[in-house]
């Protein structure tokens, strides 16, 4: 059965899309740990990130790099962190999470809430810096 991320990639489930190419898809996390929290996913459906073919694993980071830069440019965090957890959705992905000065680092356990309009505006602000 397709993972929830494959359904998002295929457009069967809506997402706040940030970027896409033939191999990767990036979109806002629906339960963000911080403003701009973005997930970067290979289209190849593999659960454990370190089971990805090496070129797909390397390409994931290369695809994520300009998105992290766009987060930096859009929201001016101290920096953008990258984290791999993968305990919830069995489809490899990395989290890009901007870290803001008012908080020391971030915690995936702490969630922030944004309206649909705010999420749309956040996604647009990131895309505009890509
Ligand atoms: P992990 O698998 O790395 O532990 O966490 C999966 C992440 O995917 C979580 O941060 C969760 O909020 C996010 N997530 C789960 N389902 C959806 C969804 O349907 N849409 C979006 N945009 N994010 C999701």
């Amino acid at each position: 059965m397709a993972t929830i991320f494959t359904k998002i990639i295929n457009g069967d489930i809506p997402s706040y899309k940030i970027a896409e190419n033939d191999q990767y898809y990036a979109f806002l996390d629906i339960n963000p740990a911080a403003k701009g929290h973005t997930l970067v996913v290979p289209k190849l459906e593999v659960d454990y990130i370190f089971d990805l073919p090496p070129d797909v694993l390397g390409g994931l980071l290369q695809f994520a790099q300009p998105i992290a830069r766009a987060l930096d440019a859009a929201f001016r965090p101290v920096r953008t962190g990258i984290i791999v957890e993968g305990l919830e959705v069995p489809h490899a992905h990395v989290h890009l999470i901007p870290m803001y000065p008012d908080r020391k680092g971030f915690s995936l356990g702490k969630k922030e809430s944004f309206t649909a309009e705010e999420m749309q505006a956040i996604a647009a602000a990131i895309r505009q810096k890509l």
Side-chain angles (χ1 to χ4, degrees):
M1 203 177 94
T3 67
I4 196 150
F5 289 170
T6 293
K7 289 177 185 165
I8 286 172
I9 290 163
N10 291 339
D12 298 329
I13 292 176
S15 67
Y16 300 100
K17 179 171 158 180
I18 304 298
E20 178 178 17
N21 70 9
D22 58 332
Q23 280 190 294
Y24 305 99
Y25 191 93
F27 56 104
L28 292 183
D29 194 298
I30 204 71
N31 278 311
K35 183 168 78 172
H37 180 172
T38 297
L39 301 175
V40 187
V41 181
K43 292 185 176 179
L44 187 66
E45 203 179 84
V46 168
D47 175 4
Y48 182 37
I49 192 166
F50 294 118
D51 283 336
L52 285 171
D55 60 321
V56 180
L57 177 59
L60 182 63
L61 211 49
Q62 289 180 27
F63 187 75
Q65 185 176 29
I67 299 170
R69 290 297 193 194
L71 287 165
D72 293 339
F75 304 125
R76 303 275 168 205
V78 176
R79 60 176 54 189
T80 289
I82 182 167
I83 149 168
V84 176
E85 193 180 64
L87 294 174
E88 183 185 324
V89 178
H91 187 148
H93 55 280
V94 299
H95 297 250
L96 299 179
I97 308 182
M99 293 180 280
Y100 296 102
D102 57 321
R103 285 177 45 184
K104 221 174 182 183
F106 57 79
S107 159
L108 276 183
K110 281 191 183 164
K111 302 298 181 187
E112 297 208 8
S113 186
F114 298 97
T115 64
E117 290 72 26
E118 288 170 332
M119 290 290 270
Q120 265 160 19
I122 290 166
I126 302 165
R127 288 195 303 265
Q128 203 246 326
K129 297 292 183 185
L130 275 172

